[in-house]
Amino acid sequence: MTDRFMARAIQISIDNARTGRGGPFGAVIVRQGKIIAEAANSVVASNDPTAHAEILAIREACARLRQSQLRGCEIYSSCEPCPMCLGAIYWARPERVFYANMAEDAAKIGFDDSLIYGEISRSIGKRKIPMIQMMRDSAQEAFSIWAALPGKEAY
Amino acid sequence: MTDRFMARAIQISIDNARTGRGGPFGAVIVRQGKIIAEAANSVVASNDPTAHAEILAIREACARLRQSQLRGCEIYSSCEPCPMCLGAIYWARPERVFYANMAEDAAKIGFDDSLIYGEISRSIGKRKIPMIQMMRDSAQEAFSIWAALPGKEAY
């Protein structure tokens, strides 16, 4: 099965790989049969570890739609989303995600996707980056204020 | 144990909860005993589902340091990072992460962190947002180009 939207995401990934501006990844977001956002990974060029193709495309699509969710949209990514991007996808709530390369393929050329998937499944005490809890009692105040806030926009 | 950096992250979360600009979350990034970046969640104000406190603070810290990684830095977050932010943390590679509220606390006031943690651990075919693979052969070209690219910056 070939699809013009996925073909576009793949072309972006190929063009980006040639420039070295960032990893070989591209993403496209489609709504009602039209591309409303597209992006290439720009981690290297922007010194931004969050500048993955899916994150940038989600931000652009939401800015264009002026809403923080992508209901009715589809994401085409040239590679299976990493855990960061998968998290962003769940917050954005598109209808579905299409992907081409797999996380294992990315691991083979030096990207940490598979390692991070493993870390997220691990209990906090067993992760490679130490995560230490403290001051929970003080922090609860913010949650109480939010819970009681009238007219807030849930997301 | 009380810590002035965590106290700052919590204060940001409290101030943000009062305004409704975004969820009740704050984060601070520290390097050599000094705050180099801090941020509040601004999902609502910016219509950006990726504008979590940790993501914004990581982007700011990396921009300031002009590098895409945070070695030698610590992140203080008023809440256990969601999977998106945890993924960003692994890409940024700080030394350690401190957090106050837990993912379960966030779930109690309506945030999907726990749901997303569950989804990420699930096999792709069983996730709530359908994820469909296609055109892997075409997408491999970008990975081959990247693998052979001389002088590229790995991240």
Side-chain angles (χ1 to χ4, degrees), chain B:
Chain B
M1 180 180 165
T2 302
D3 181 286
R4 68 189 169 103
F5 299 124
M6 183 59 86
R8 175 65 190 147
I10 291 172
Q11 190 58 51
I12 292 169
S13 75
I14 292 170
D15 293 345
N16 206 53
R18 289 206 175 100
T19 66
R21 291 187 74 254
F25 308 102
V28 158
I29 297 181
V30 173
R31 185 167 175 265
Q32 297 174 344
K34 285 183 186 162
I35 293 176
I36 60 164
E38 57 178 46
N41 179 299
S42 68
V43 169
V44 175
S46 62
N47 286 325
D48 178 356
T50 75
H52 286 201
E54 298 95 322
I55 296 276
L56 297 178
I58 288 170
R59 293 175 62 203
E60 185 182 316
C62 287
R64 188 158 168 185
L65 299 175
R66 298 185 189 186
Q67 58 190 43
S68 67
Q69 300 197 348
L70 294 174
R71 294 196 198 278
C73 297
E74 294 173 333
I75 299 182
Y76 291 78
S77 178
S78 68
C79 185
E80 184 182 337
C82 82
M84 173 179 72
C85 293
L86 188 60
I89 286 165
Y90 273 90
W91 289 114
R93 301 184 185 83
E95 299 303 320
R96 59 193 68 80
V97 176
F98 299 92
Y99 65 97
N101 283 315
M102 298 173 70
E104 300 92 281
D105 299 323
K108 280 183 200 153
I109 58 164
F111 292 98
D112 282 345
D113 303 45
S114 294
L115 176 147
I116 300 175
Y117 269 107
E119 286 288 294
I120 282 184
S121 305
R122 247 171 225 122
S123 62
I124 286 182
K126 293 183 177 170
R127 291 184 187 148
K128 289 182 199 298
I129 297 180
M131 299 188 67
I132 302 126
Q133 195 188 23
M134 62 192 299
M135 295 174 70
R136 184 182 179 199
D137 288 350
S138 310
Q140 290 276 320
E141 183 182 347
F143 280 16
S144 302
I145 294 168
W146 176 265
L149 192 73
K152 63 178 171 283
E153 185 184 324
Y155 60 85

